[in-house]
Every structure is written in C-alpha cells, then in structure tokens.
Amino acid sequence: MPVAHLSSSALIGIEAAPIEVEIDLKTSDKMTLILVGLPDLAVKESKERVMAALRNCGFKLDSSVITINLAPADLKKEGAFYDLAIALGILQASKLLDGVNLSDYLCIGELSLSGSTRPIRGALAAGQLARQLGKKGIILPKANVYELGSLPLQVIGVETLGEACRFLKNPSSSAQPIPTEENYSSPPEVDLSEIKGQAHVKRALEIAATGNHNILLYGPPGTGKTMLAKALGGILPPLSLDEALAVTTIYSVVGLLPPKVSAIRSRPFRAPHHTISTIGLVGGGSRLRPGELSLAHHGVLFLDELPEFTRSTLESLRQPLENGKVTISRATGVATFPTRCLFIAAMNPCPCGHLGHPQKACTCTPLQVQRYRAKISGPLLERIDMHVEVPFIPFQEIQQSKSVETSSQMQSRVVAARKIQNERSGYTNSCMRQADLNRYAALDSASQRFIGQAIESLGLSMRSYHRLLKVARTIADLALSPNISQDHLLEALSYRTFE
C-alpha cells in the first residue's frame, strides 16, 4: 500500500482527466526521488522544483527513497500541474501532515523554487472534474481562484506550499478565500448604425444571427464587408450561463483568460490571418490544443479574404462546420473540441476585385476568375447557408443615407426569434435534423412545386436544399409566422446565388 494517496488532474484537449498521485517512501542512507507514470520532461523536472520548494519552506526530510507514481500509467502526463500534489503527498508520507485526509481534495498547481505557487492553464476544467468526482473542494494557486467563481465548489487558493499545509492541518482556522466573480465582456468593434447603406446585407446578417447560419459576403474592395462582419457579434444574443461556462473553459485551457475573470460574458469574435495553418485553425499539435475554430465556440469565426487561405486549411472546416465538433487523433491521444460557431467569410469577386464594379474595369481573364473562385470547393460552399453580394455604393448615395437602426435594436428582434426556436426544439435552426425539418419546415403543395422547380433550375444538391429550408424557417420566425410561405422561400433562394 502506498504511504500517501491524493487526486490531481491532467488536461486532454479541453477536458480534465483524473490523475492519482501515489507516494511510497522507504528509509535509505541517500535521498532519491523516482517518478514514474509516463511523465514528460516538464513533469520529470518537478522533482527538482518540489525538493527545492520543500527545503525553502522549512521542511526537513529524512534520507529515503521516494517513489512517485502518476496513474493511470498509460496516459502521458504533461506540464507542471502536479508539483503541489506531489509536495503534499511527500509531506504526508514523511508524517509531516499526520491526520490530514488529502483524498477530500483535488490538488493542482505549479511550485516555484521558493515554494510559492504559479498559475496554471485549465483550472476551470479541473474544478469541474473535482465536482464530478465528488470532492469536498479543490486546492490550487491563488491566481486561479477567480476562474472557479461560478462553480458551487469549495475553492482553496494558496500562495505558498506552507499556506496549503496550514489549511489542511486546521481548515476551520484558515481564512477561506471567496472567489470574487468578475465578468469579462468586450463591446463589438462596429455598430450597425455606423455603416451607411447595404440594407439588404444587414437583413442577411439579421437572419444569420437568428438561425446561426454560416454566411459569405462577396463584393469589391472597400464596400464594407469587414465592417459588416465585425458588427455581427453585436446583434447576437447574450451568452447563457452554460454557454459562458463552455467558452470560459476553452479560454482557460488555452491560457487566454484575462486575469481575475470568472466568466466570459461576451460572444468571442475570432479573425485569424489567412497564413494560419490547419492546426492553428482546427486544433491539434503535439499537445492537442484547440484552434481558432474552437476559440470561436458560441461566437463568430471570421475569415477575411477567404480564397487566400490554403485549400487544405479551408477543406478542414467542412466536417467541423457540419457537426459542431472536431475529433483529432494523434499518437499521443484523442481529443474532441467543440466548434459550434457562426462562420462568416468575405472575399472579392475576382483577383483584382473589380468584377462587376460600375466604375472600375476588371483586368482579370475568365480563367483567372475561375481559378480564383475554384479555391473554394463546392462542398465547402454548400455548407455556407447564405451567399450575399456587397455591392459598391456611390459616394452621393452614402452622403444621402439617413441614420439607421442600431445593433441593439436589431439584437432585440434576434433574441425574440431565438426564443421561438428554443421553445420549439431547444436549439437554433441551423442545428435542425431531418426529423425537425419534416415537422417544423413542412411545405404546402404549391410551395413544394415552387421549390422543386427552383432546385432543378439552379442545380442545388439535397444538402443545399435542406440548408435552404432552415434559412426559410428562420425568415418565417423573424416574421412570427408559424408556416413557411413562398415569400420566405424566395428570400432564402436569393441567398444561394453564388453557387
């Protein structure tokens, strides 16, 4: 039987996995530490950090052979998450923490050589694991306490190893730090009222935000495609508690959570550069980290200059956009990342950007235009529900444009229509399954004949047809209509012209 036994956790993707830290001690004439359990280099170096921390905190250990096992042995242990758990286990095995039940708590944290704690990534995921395991609480670095402010869990934040020991010896006399909940929210960069004209594009954005439909904006340079995309986040509904917890967990794992923040309350907006790699966009790598697609979970992923991304990178989006998640398998393990975001892309109509411009002549040959557009495959284009042209607007027309509604005004309609969807099925229209379409998007005989003729003339696939029905259902929801009419279908068809 091991002399000491306590719980810690490892990160696999964005989820925490339980790790059992076992300490065995045997008296010897020389101090020796043996660390087993498939540790990586950072974990192996914890032996030196832990021993220096124990010594600098005033703990004197007798010479002995200390064997540390991190179970399960077939799961690779990475990072410096186990320093605090190993140090506390050694102290209990050495009878310096007698009468303490370490099994009541999950321990996680990195130690400096002086014995002070350093913040770690994924503290929120570890706190959720502690709840699942039925632990009394979690002991972790004090800098990570804010992340767990929204969890109904006893959170013990410690600044030093000595502080953790004092709490374990006498929990009632130790001041329990109460996590102060501080929410992080960032206002959208652009309000719709700042954009003159383009009323039909704003209408399309309203539909996309309501049903969470992917959307492509195409048009000449300088017509406002990027500004319109940046305004999209401002008309999306606020995050629910579950959505905020999911987003905060991802940002905690990646290390992008701002200091002293308990929850991210604004929907993320991610706009990676077109030079991004497939791993950077979808996720992966040697440590299986989430990519930009997962960082945009429950928010917006914006790809500007879509054809400038490599074809392989764009093709990697097909399955995640369809399923709302991506599973990545590597020799080191398997991780599943959530990817339920609103995907918006922008592109020029041709390499020079002036195809169809009323005042500038296009200098591209038909072959150049074809090659440029061929960078976006048909299967990927089918997964984009709405294709909207953003035309050039003359200066005089912009000057004569009157003030238009704000993002908050449009957001109120989006929230009302989203409420209809949630009461009907529990999710947005973009997530409707075939059974949902049969039940909630049924067409009368006249509408069926109309849509059949349209599909045949446009050559749309069944996937495009189903996505067309979902967009039409969203348009009907905005109109507070229980049924889909031909007008709704006609407007939905107007958003498939790029195919």
Side-chain angles (χ1 to χ4, degrees):
M1 290 291 291
V3 179
H5 180 279
L6 62 159
S7 298
S8 189
S9 69
L11 279 178
I12 302 178
I14 62 171
E15 297 181 352
I19 299 295
E20 300 300 322
V21 181
E22 300 175 330
I23 311 290
D24 187 73
L25 187 146
K26 183 176 66 175
T27 304
S28 175
D29 57 353
K30 182 180 178 182
M31 177 63 75
T32 305
L33 261 70
I34 303 172
L35 183 58
V36 297
L38 205 59
D40 72 347
L41 184 59
V43 180
K44 290 179 180 177
E45 291 176 346
S46 66
K47 296 188 295 184
E48 283 70 26
R49 289 194 301 272
V50 168
M51 294 307 295
L54 290 169
R55 183 175 60 254
N56 291 324
C57 285
F59 296 106
K60 295 182 179 180
L61 303 177
D62 297 331
S63 297
S64 55
V65 177
I66 302 175
T67 303
I68 305 162
N69 179 41
L70 305 178
D74 60 346
L75 176 64
K76 188 172 183 179
K77 318 304 183 303
E78 298 176 332
F81 303 119
Y82 314 104
D83 292 3
L84 184 58
I86 290 173
L88 292 175
I90 291 175
L91 289 174
Q92 188 176 56
S94 303
K95 301 189 182 304
L96 296 176
L97 276 178
D98 280 342
V100 172
N101 189 3
L102 290 175
S103 62
D104 287 343
Y105 300 94
L106 188 145
C107 304
I108 189 169
E110 179 182 350
L111 290 176
S112 68
L113 298 183
S114 64
S116 60
T117 58
R118 289 198 171 109
I120 56 169
R121 295 181 294 107
L124 182 55
Q128 293 172 314
L129 175 64
R131 287 194 63 208
Q132 295 171 11
L133 296 177
K135 297 294 182 182
K136 185 177 179 180
I138 181 172
I139 303 175
L140 77 171
K142 196 167 187 177
N144 293 114
V145 163
Y146 291 90
E147 295 181 37
L148 283 72
S150 58
L151 289 182
L153 180 73
Q154 185 184 17
V155 180
I156 300 94
V158 296
E159 294 183 337
T160 64
L161 174 60
E163 188 177 339
C165 294
R166 288 191 294 273
F167 166 78
L168 289 168
K169 288 180 178 179
N170 192 359
S172 60
S173 63
S174 300
Q176 296 300 310
I178 300 175
T180 304
E181 184 171 354
E182 294 186 13
N183 297 328
Y184 173 79
S185 60
S186 57
E189 294 184 42
V190 180
D191 192 279
L192 282 177
S193 60
E194 303 172 14
I195 304 174
K196 302 294 184 180
Q198 307 294 8
H200 73 291
V201 184
K202 295 176 183 178
R203 164 67 175 175
L205 291 179
E206 181 180 358
I207 296 169
T210 301
N212 210 57
H213 300 293
N214 302 326
I215 182 171
L216 170 66
L217 306 179
Y218 63 96
T223 54
K225 300 186 296 295
T226 301
M227 286 187 67
L228 287 161
K230 289 181 177 180
L232 181 58
I235 64 177
L236 289 171
L239 286 171
S240 66
L241 289 177
D242 290 340
E243 289 174 338
L245 186 61
V247 172
T248 307
T249 300
I250 295 172
Y251 277 70
S252 171
V253 167
V254 179
L256 294 178
L257 192 64
K260 297 184 178 181
V261 167
S262 296
I264 295 177
R265 290 295 183 178
S266 58
R267 293 188 181 271
F269 182 91
R270 306 295 298 184
H273 192 258
H274 61 78
T275 56
I276 192 172
S277 65
T278 301
I279 290 176
L281 183 62
V282 178
S286 59
R287 292 195 175 185
L288 294 178
R289 288 166 57 96
E292 291 289 332
L293 193 55
S294 296
L295 289 171
H297 184 55
H298 291 315
V300 178
L301 176 67
F302 175 45
L303 299 189
D304 203 0
E305 305 295 344
L306 188 64
E308 301 302 324
F309 289 79
T310 62
R311 187 180 179 92
S312 60
T313 299
L314 292 179
E315 291 303 296
S316 67
L317 292 174
R318 286 160 54 177
Q319 184 264 344
L321 290 179
E322 186 81 17
N323 299 335
K325 62 182 179 180
V326 58
T327 300
I328 299 175
S329 300
R330 296 288 184 269
T332 55
V334 179
T336 299
F337 302 124
T339 60
R340 187 68 68 189
C341 65
L342 199 166
F343 173 62
I344 180 170
M347 62 176 288
N348 297 326
C350 64
C352 77
H354 303 312
L355 182 65
H357 198 289
Q359 298 178 0
K360 296 182 180 180
C362 175
T363 59
C364 305
T365 64
L367 182 59
Q368 288 175 322
V369 175
Q370 182 182 3
R371 286 177 176 174
Y372 180 75
R373 296 194 176 190
K375 293 180 180 180
I376 306 166
S377 68
L380 177 60
L381 203 58
E382 281 186 341
R383 288 167 169 83
I384 301 177
D385 304 333
M386 306 172 67
H387 315 143
V388 184
E389 183 180 6
V390 187
F392 170 79
I393 300 179
F395 178 75
Q396 293 80 3
E397 185 176 337
I398 295 177
Q399 289 293 96
Q400 295 172 0
S401 297
K402 298 180 180 180
S403 59
V404 294
E405 65 179 353
T406 63
S407 294
S408 60
Q409 291 173 322
M410 184 178 289
Q411 184 190 48
S412 62
R413 295 198 299 271
V414 172
V415 170
R418 281 265 185 124
K419 184 179 179 181
I420 295 174
Q421 299 172 50
N422 290 331
E423 292 176 350
R424 180 174 57 219
S425 60
Y427 38 79
T428 57
N429 288 337
S430 64
C431 300
M432 292 174 71
R433 297 180 287 268
Q434 184 60 49
D436 298 318
L437 290 174
N438 295 337
R439 183 177 181 183
Y440 304 120
L443 304 176
D444 56 31
S445 57
S447 296
Q448 288 178 355
R449 288 194 301 271
F450 168 75
I451 198 63
Q453 294 172 356
I455 290 173
E456 186 175 349
S457 62
L458 295 175
L460 298 181
S461 67
M462 288 306 297
R463 177 185 282 117
S464 296
Y465 167 63
H466 289 150
R467 289 184 175 271
L468 177 69
L469 283 182
K470 294 175 183 179
V471 174
R473 180 65 266 175
T474 300
I475 296 171
D477 289 339
L478 281 168
L480 304 180
S481 173
N483 300 315
I484 298 175
S485 68
Q486 289 192 29
D487 290 339
H488 303 148
L489 290 171
L490 189 61
E491 183 177 1
L493 273 169
S494 69
Y495 301 128
R496 304 295 303 190
T497 55
F498 195 78
E499 283 180 301

